[in-house]
Amino acid sequence: MAEFDGRTVLITGGGSGIGLATARTLLGSGARVAIAGRDPRRLSEAADELGAGDRLLTVPTDVSDPDAVTRLMNAVLTWSGLLHGVFVNAGVAVFGPASSVSDDDYDLVTNTNVRGAFHTVQRALPLLSEGGSIVLNGSWLAHRGLAATPVYAAGKAAVINLARSMAADLGPRGIRINAVSPGYIVTDMFLGIAKSSEEQEACRRQVPLGRLGAPEDVAQAVSFLLSPRSSYITGQEILVDGGLIPAT
Ligand code: NDP
């Protein structure tokens, strides 16, 4: 029997990058997976690639809209009844020093990464079975003070602390909540920031393990935190960064 047989997991931002790799990993371990994101075409291409038939549900959703998150949970409830895991992964990055951050960019980043994460957790709770597990996607940047990342880094620190604070609340209900914090992972988001091969090489050189991360590297950590193998771990953060944080 596969590890996730009979378990249902919701992944926001599941149509690309780290979310898509996690969907692939969990489907490969027997899970039923619901993926959500804003772009229906991206979700449908992901569904074609995953080829999981009725073990996959796609739900177009903008997580920055609380009512849309409620509709997402209703769709999952109708499809599956219960949830065993949630990967709160949807995110956007807009970088620039504080003086250059427009109000629109501030709202986009914060409403997606922080408000969206909070509402996803809050509205998933009634569906989560005892033994359920929530994983939030943070970032190594939550631990660094770079001039170009004030809004993104502040939001990701909030997300990690959401996991820490909610662990105390959810523990007595048998629900765990943790965070993963990726380093440099090659996805559309990373390639949109480190655009040139020189910039990508400069990132790689900072990583003690000598390579940029793949989405699958993060998916493995998420799969562990969603599984019973981590049943005594809650309120924690796993850095999946090739040693970047200890070394810089
Ligand atoms: P991607 O851009 O591939 O993935 C982001 C996903 O989030 C997309 O599928 C996007 O889909 C979805 N998304 C964005 N906004 C919303 C929204 N409002 N509602 C619903 N879905 C949304 O990049 P990654 O896979 O790299 O990013 C995944 C997570 O990992 C993010 O939270 C990011 O901050 C984090 N991270 C990534 C790092 C990296 O180096 N790649 C490093 C540290 C953290 P759509 O556009 O269709 O909505």
Side-chain angles (χ1 to χ4, degrees):
M1 183 168 155
E3 183 167 46
F4 282 86
D5 269 353
R7 290 170 184 261
T8 303
V9 177
L10 167 64
I11 302 174
T12 63
S16 64
I18 293 167
L20 178 59
T22 305
R24 196 181 301 113
T25 298
L26 296 176
L27 286 164
S29 300
R32 284 156 57 86
V33 176
I35 56 173
R38 290 167 301 181
D39 181 353
R41 199 172 62 182
R42 195 202 284 271
L43 291 178
S44 132
E45 284 168 7
D48 288 347
E49 190 210 304
L50 291 167
D54 63 4
R55 283 199 296 128
L56 183 79
L57 177 73
T58 59
V59 190
T61 305
D62 181 345
V63 298
S64 67
D65 173 358
D67 293 336
V69 177
T70 301
R71 288 194 294 276
L72 165 64
M73 297 309 164
N74 287 337
V76 172
L77 181 66
T78 305
W79 180 60
S80 173
L82 269 184
L83 264 179
H84 301 87
V86 185
F87 182 30
V88 184
N89 165 73
V92 291
V94 180
F95 288 174
S99 56
S100 76
V101 176
S102 69
D103 291 351
D104 283 350
D105 282 348
Y106 179 90
D107 287 346
L108 173 69
V109 173
T110 307
N111 289 344
T112 307
N113 296 4
V114 185
R115 213 168 92 116
F118 179 79
H119 286 131
T120 303
V121 172
Q122 184 193 50
R123 283 152 165 78
L125 284 177
L127 278 69
L128 271 167
S129 61
E130 193 175 340
S133 173
I134 301 167
V135 180
L136 297 162
N137 202 338
S139 170
W140 74 285
L141 287 168
H143 301 279
R144 284 292 172 269
L146 305 187
T149 63
V151 180
Y152 181 82
K156 287 299 187 177
V159 163
I160 294 160
N161 276 292
L162 182 62
R164 287 202 186 100
S165 5
M166 288 198 69
D169 182 21
L170 301 182
R173 294 164 57 179
I175 294 171
R176 299 181 298 110
I177 180 164
N178 293 286
V180 288
S181 281
Y184 294 126
I185 309 297
V186 181
T187 64
D188 290 351
M189 180 182 284
F190 173 79
L191 296 172
I193 295 161
K195 291 193 173 77
S196 68
S197 53
E198 289 79 15
E199 286 169 303
Q200 291 159 27
E201 174 58 15
C203 293
R204 189 198 64 75
R205 273 199 302 270
Q206 296 170 43
V207 181
L209 287 181
R211 66 171 174 88
L212 298 170
E216 290 71 20
D217 292 317
V218 185
Q220 288 301 325
V222 176
S223 168
F224 169 68
L225 288 172
L226 290 174
S227 80
R229 279 177 287 147
S230 58
S231 62
Y232 202 53
I233 300 176
T234 194
Q236 300 300 312
E237 176 192 17
I238 297 183
L239 281 150
V240 186
D241 68 349
L244 187 57
I245 282 288
T248 56

